[in-house]
Amino acid sequence: MRVPFLLSTLLVAGVGLTGCTVAPQAPKYPIYMQDKPVAEAPSPEKALTPEKPVDENAGVQGLGTKGEITTNELPPPPPPPPPPVEKVVAVKAPEVKPGAPKPAVAPAVKTLTAGYVYTLQAQDTLYGVSRRFGVPIQTLYQMNGLTAASVTRIGQKVLLPETAKDKGLEAYANGPAPEKVKTVVAQADKAPAPRPVEKPPVKVVDATVVTPAPKPVVVPPAPKPVVKEAEKVEPIKPAAPKVFPDSTGIARLGKGKFVWPYKGNVLVRYGQLGPNVRNDGINIGGPEGAEVVAADEGIVVYVGDQVKELGNTVYIKHANGFYTGYSHLGKVSVKANQKIEQGQALGTLGKTGAVDRAQLHFEIRYTPSSEIAKPIDPTLVLP
């Protein structure tokens, strides 16, 4: 059953309002009026002093007492203010006392160096490669120029760092051990120095330089190849794409190949059991601790319990594109990369995972090519 997850983000933006005011403009004076003294207010003593008689010519600006014209020179404009002096404040470095801890220095960025090359196989994923070799998934993205949305293909080369350690085959990284990266330095062969081209002799006749014309080179026509009737090669036709067989074809391919891993009652059949419930194999009931054997000879490609609902699980790769899976095991007696024979014990019936009674979840998968193997009904090929 798949449950979708929804993520939402709410962004709230605030808008501020600002006001503006208009300041009244001060009256402008000529430059020589900027320092004009403010008129003094009449003091009470002057108000009580009787006024002196006013001369008729004294109140007129520019006239002397005898009617002469006088001039008053305006004071020179004040010099411009000096530019502001910027203050420079010296910052003293903090003193380091003896014995005090030194300030932390940021670590240098480590450069990743490719040390191995791994080839992707059927069912392989980058997460499986990350788990098998102990390399973070982001490191794989960075070294191979990939992202989480990149699509991988079978046979694709994946670079691994020098610190990668192979933990053994698993379901999603079941290829052979990675190859060591080799550095090849190409050295160009020293070509021999070209010989100087000898020019034909030049004849001098009456101070005129005459160069003999080169003779034309006659190339004989190439003979036409004679093709015999028996040597005619027909064009190679492209191979037809392999199609996943139907139930009849599966039964014919797997007939007599497998044995029951444990002979007991089938508790849950193969196929679609409900709108959102599907069983990719069959569940066989039995007593806890009963022996479970390999349905066919092959190589163990996965041992673990990463899928919590299936509990302890073992996957075996067989010949001709077949795989078998054994889940809910109590004990496991095989290891990854181990070669196993048909009928050899690989564990015991248990109730690990999401079950409440001892049983075996048994799967058979098939692929006609290098694509991901698809589950089939085990009862089509079991005796």
Side-chain angles (χ1 to χ4, degrees):
M1 180 181 299
R2 300 181 178 177
V3 180
F5 294 92
L6 300 179
L7 301 177
S8 61
T9 305
L10 180 61
L11 302 178
V12 178
V15 178
L17 299 178
T18 58
C20 62
T21 58
V22 179
Q25 298 182 356
K28 297 181 180 180
Y29 296 97
I31 187 168
Y32 54 82
M33 296 293 288
Q34 290 182 357
D35 300 326
K36 181 179 180 180
V38 181
E40 296 181 358
S43 60
E45 297 178 357
K46 294 181 179 181
L48 299 177
T49 304
E51 296 182 359
K52 296 179 180 181
V54 180
D55 191 357
E56 295 179 358
N57 296 328
V60 180
Q61 185 178 359
L63 298 179
T65 56
K66 298 181 182 181
E68 299 177 355
I69 299 175
T70 62
T71 59
N72 295 328
E73 296 183 357
L74 296 176
V85 180
E86 297 182 357
K87 295 183 179 180
V88 180
V89 180
V91 179
K92 189 176 182 180
E95 297 181 357
V96 180
K97 297 181 179 179
K102 297 182 179 180
V105 180
V109 179
K110 187 176 181 180
T111 304
L112 297 175
T113 304
Y116 302 92
V117 177
Y118 174 75
T119 304
L120 294 180
Q121 306 293 323
Q123 295 184 331
D124 283 3
T125 64
L126 290 179
Y127 285 96
V129 175
S130 172
R131 291 191 298 269
R132 174 173 170 179
F133 298 101
V135 180
I137 189 67
Q138 295 298 334
T139 301
L140 294 181
Y141 290 158
Q142 179 181 356
M143 295 189 65
N144 295 274
L146 302 174
T147 63
S150 299
V151 178
T152 57
R153 64 183 186 281
I154 297 172
Q156 181 174 344
K157 305 293 183 180
V158 177
L159 295 177
L160 303 175
E162 294 178 343
T163 57
K165 294 183 179 180
D166 194 350
K167 301 178 183 178
L169 300 181
E170 64 168 63
Y172 299 103
N174 57 13
E179 299 178 358
K180 189 74 175 178
V181 174
K182 298 179 181 179
T183 304
V184 180
V185 179
Q187 295 182 353
D189 297 335
K190 294 183 178 180
R195 296 181 180 179
V197 180
E198 297 181 359
K199 297 182 179 180
V202 178
K203 297 180 180 180
V204 179
V205 179
D206 297 334
T208 303
V209 178
V210 178
T211 303
K215 297 181 180 180
V217 179
V218 180
V219 179
K224 296 181 180 180
V226 179
V227 180
K228 299 180 181 180
E229 293 293 334
E231 296 179 356
K232 291 184 178 180
V233 180
E234 295 182 359
I236 300 175
K237 297 181 180 179
K242 295 183 179 180
V243 181
F244 198 89
D246 56 6
S247 299
T248 304
I250 288 291
R252 183 173 62 254
L253 291 173
K255 183 179 181 180
K257 183 177 179 63
F258 301 97
V259 297
W260 283 84
Y262 175 78
K263 191 65 175 178
N265 296 328
V266 177
L267 303 178
V268 184
R269 60 181 177 83
Y270 169 86
Q272 197 73 28
L273 306 179
N276 296 318
V277 180
R278 176 181 174 80
N279 192 10
D280 289 338
I282 58 175
N283 289 40
I284 307 171
E288 186 174 0
E291 188 177 67
V292 178
V293 301
D296 189 18
E297 64 178 1
I299 298 177
V300 179
V301 296
Y302 174 78
V303 176
D305 60 349
Q306 292 184 359
V307 182
K308 300 302 180 183
E309 291 78 9
L310 296 178
N312 295 334
T313 301
V314 174
Y315 265 94
I316 301 177
K317 181 180 180 180
H318 308 285
N320 301 326
F322 282 97
Y323 293 80
T324 56
Y326 313 79
S327 301
H328 303 311
L329 297 175
K331 294 183 179 180
V332 178
S333 56
V334 294
K335 298 180 180 180
N337 299 328
Q338 178 180 343
K339 187 176 181 180
I340 193 169
E341 301 295 333
Q342 186 180 50
Q344 181 178 342
L346 54 84
T348 61
L349 272 176
K351 50 183 179 181
T352 59
V355 293
D356 56 357
R357 58 176 292 185
Q359 56 187 285
L360 170 67
H361 175 74
F362 177 60
E363 292 184 4
I364 296 182
R365 293 175 176 265
Y366 172 75
T367 176
S369 59
S370 58
E371 298 178 356
I372 297 177
K374 298 180 181 180
I376 63 172
D377 187 355
T379 59
L380 295 175
V381 296
L382 290 174

